[in-house]
Amino acid sequence: MRGEIDEANLAPETSLINKENQDSSATITTTLLLTTFVAVSGSFVFGSAIGYSSPVQSDLTKELNLSVAEYSLFGSILTIGAMIGAAMSGRIADMIGRRATMGFSEMFCILGWLAIYLSKVAIWLDVGRFLVGYGMGVFSFVVPVYIAEITPKGLRGGFTTVHQLLICLGVSVTYLLGSFIGWRILALIGMIPCVVQMMGLFVIPESPRWLAKVGKWEEFEIALQRLRGESADISYESNEIKDYTRRLTDLSEGSIVDLFQPQYAKSLVVGVGLMVLQQFGGVNGIAFYASSIFESAGVSSKIGMIAMVVVQISATGTCIGCFLVGLSFSLQFVKQLSGDASYLALTGVLVYTGSFSLGMGGIPWVIMSEIFPIDIKGSAGSLVTVVSWVGSWIISFTFNFLMNWNPAGIKFV
């Protein structure tokens, strides 16, 4: 109320100064770009892990003699690790900071990729995939939150979507490389962005909002000034963040149970609902096992994977894509049309992938980083991210079995 009165009584000159201060804080600086690049290196790791299981499926199952059940476990155990990582991510990020949390995640990813590279039996493949998944689960929360906290309001939406862009890029690069190199070398390459981010974390600032939250006011001012530029006037944004943080000092840190209070109901329904829609659209069935889908439909897996790289829109597009893939499998039983049906599968997968990347892939994460108050953001982010990974596990584990049972029906569903 006091803030409203003060603002209403501001002289025109003072309002103009505040407006100019807001504008000066909304500039894109070299430090902001570098910091975002380092953060989204984790998003690239995320995408690499998702894309890994598809191009290597044929070679890996042959070399280690894996059954459908064993490979389904290898593909889906990534999401089990991610569930656990997501459940812990909010608390870890609130406790040790956003930057340290990203470094913590990368240690698990590096160990995971190394375990996959050295694997000679299925159990070590699963251990490595689980470790990478744990790191992914933490990343899925901390990266979009960190980016949202370091960017000015006017740039926040655009910068946060870079998280999804780098996930898609990670998937695409892994698909492309996996079409030409072996699964062990691909696992080694997966460690490169991990190392890049680990090194970059030493030179980027911590989230100013987190520093304010834990009462490190001097470090908060330094970090905010670095992000906005040495000559920028950060007084308006600094005071805004301080006022917001101080209003929350009387609030205790929210727990999972607190999320179910009436005042958070709308935010919770939106956050959880979007993640359910995102995952049960079946994206991870496509992402994890695309090469198998292409081979089953009679399309060269290499051609299909390369084409997916090219197209990496909206919910309508994902529905159309699934319909085309399902139709292609249905038409395989019609001899006169079986040859043309394989191209429907290719077209359907490409339409689905492109549509998801531009629509439901990124939008839920952007919304999630904005709709929850800071006092429950850690717990809420963890819950919503866990819901996402539970859906991902259900799809990725059952997909191969459902493909064997009814390849057309699974796409129409």
Side-chain angles (χ1 to χ4, degrees), residues 385-408:
T385 310
V386 166
V387 170
S388 173
W389 286 115
V390 169
S392 178
W393 175 78
I394 292 171
I395 296 298
S396 60
F397 183 72
T398 60
F399 188 85
N400 279 327
F401 297 104
L402 293 172
M403 275 289 290
N404 288 341
W405 172 58
N406 190 339

Side-chain angles (χ1 to χ4, degrees), residues 322-330 406-413:
C322 282
F323 176 79
L324 291 175
V325 176
L327 184 62
S328 75
F329 283 106
S330 298
N406 190 339
I410 185 176
K411 293 302 174 186
F412 286 129
V413 171

Side-chain angles (χ1 to χ4, degrees), residues 228-302:
R228 301 297 178 259
E230 294 301 322
S231 61
D233 183 356
I234 62 169
S235 57
Y236 182 86
E237 186 178 10
S238 174
N239 290 332
E240 186 180 46
I241 294 173
K242 286 178 181 177
D243 290 343
Y244 180 64
T245 303
R246 284 167 180 155
R247 285 199 299 269
L248 296 172
T249 54
D250 295 333
L251 298 175
S252 59
E253 186 68 22
S255 65
I256 292 292
V257 175
D258 294 330
L259 291 176
F260 298 95
Q261 295 178 14
Q263 64 264 38
Y264 303 131
K266 290 183 180 178
S267 297
L268 192 63
V269 169
V270 170
V272 171
L274 283 172
M275 291 304 174
V276 169
L277 290 173
Q278 181 193 64
Q279 292 303 326
F280 283 90
V283 62
N284 283 315
I286 298 288
F288 284 27
Y289 309 115
S291 64
S292 175
I293 296 173
F294 290 134
E295 289 176 1
S296 299
V299 180
S300 167
S301 61
K302 282 191 176 182

Side-chain angles (χ1 to χ4, degrees), residues 85-317:
M88 301 172 64
S89 60
R91 290 296 183 183
I92 295 172
D94 286 346
M95 186 182 304
I96 66 176
R98 311 330 190 192
R99 188 174 59 175
T101 301
M102 287 187 280
F104 174 77
S105 304
E106 287 294 14
M107 290 189 291
F108 283 90
C109 291
I110 291 172
L111 288 173
W113 284 122
L114 192 59
I116 292 173
Y117 170 74
L118 297 173
S119 294
K120 294 184 178 179
V121 292
I123 184 64
W124 285 110
L125 281 174
D126 295 338
V127 169
R129 186 84 165 158
F130 176 85
L131 291 174
V132 173
Y134 179 85
M136 276 178 55
V138 178
F139 275 136
S140 63
F141 170 75
V142 73
V143 171
V145 167
Y146 177 74
I147 294 173
E149 290 180 347
I150 65 171
T151 50
K153 284 183 179 179
L155 304 173
R156 195 167 296 158
F159 269 71
T160 307
T161 56
V162 177
H163 168 63
Q164 180 64 29
L165 176 64
L166 265 290
I167 291 176
C168 294
L169 183 60
V171 173
S172 298
V173 170
T174 305
Y175 280 168
L176 183 62
L177 294 177
S179 300
F180 300 101
I181 63 177
W183 61 274
R184 292 187 191 275
I185 301 300
L186 191 60
L188 275 182
I189 292 174
M191 290 192 288
I192 295 176
C194 302
V195 175
V196 169
Q197 186 178 55
M198 287 287 282
M199 295 173 62
L201 290 173
F202 289 101
V203 299
I204 65 173
E206 179 56 270
S207 161
R209 289 182 179 271
W210 180 80
L211 291 170
K213 181 182 177 183
V214 296
K216 296 184 178 181
W217 299 110
E218 184 176 348
E219 294 177 42
F220 155 74
E221 295 279 357
I222 294 171
L224 187 60
Q225 191 72 67
R226 282 185 63 191
L227 289 165
R228 301 297 178 259
E230 294 301 322
S231 61
D233 183 356
I234 62 169
S235 57
Y236 182 86
E237 186 178 10
S238 174
N239 290 332
E240 186 180 46
I241 294 173
K242 286 178 181 177
D243 290 343
Y244 180 64
T245 303
R246 284 167 180 155
R247 285 199 299 269
L248 296 172
T249 54
D250 295 333
L251 298 175
S252 59
E253 186 68 22
S255 65
I256 292 292
V257 175
D258 294 330
L259 291 176
F260 298 95
Q261 295 178 14
Q263 64 264 38
Y264 303 131
K266 290 183 180 178
S267 297
L268 192 63
V269 169
V270 170
V272 171
L274 283 172
M275 291 304 174
V276 169
L277 290 173
Q278 181 193 64
Q279 292 303 326
F280 283 90
V283 62
N284 283 315
I286 298 288
F288 284 27
Y289 309 115
S291 64
S292 175
I293 296 173
F294 290 134
E295 289 176 1
S296 299
V299 180
S300 167
S301 61
K302 282 191 176 182
I303 293 175
M305 300 307 293
I306 293 171
M308 284 187 70
V309 172
V310 177
V311 297
Q312 293 264 353
I313 37 198
S314 66
T316 302

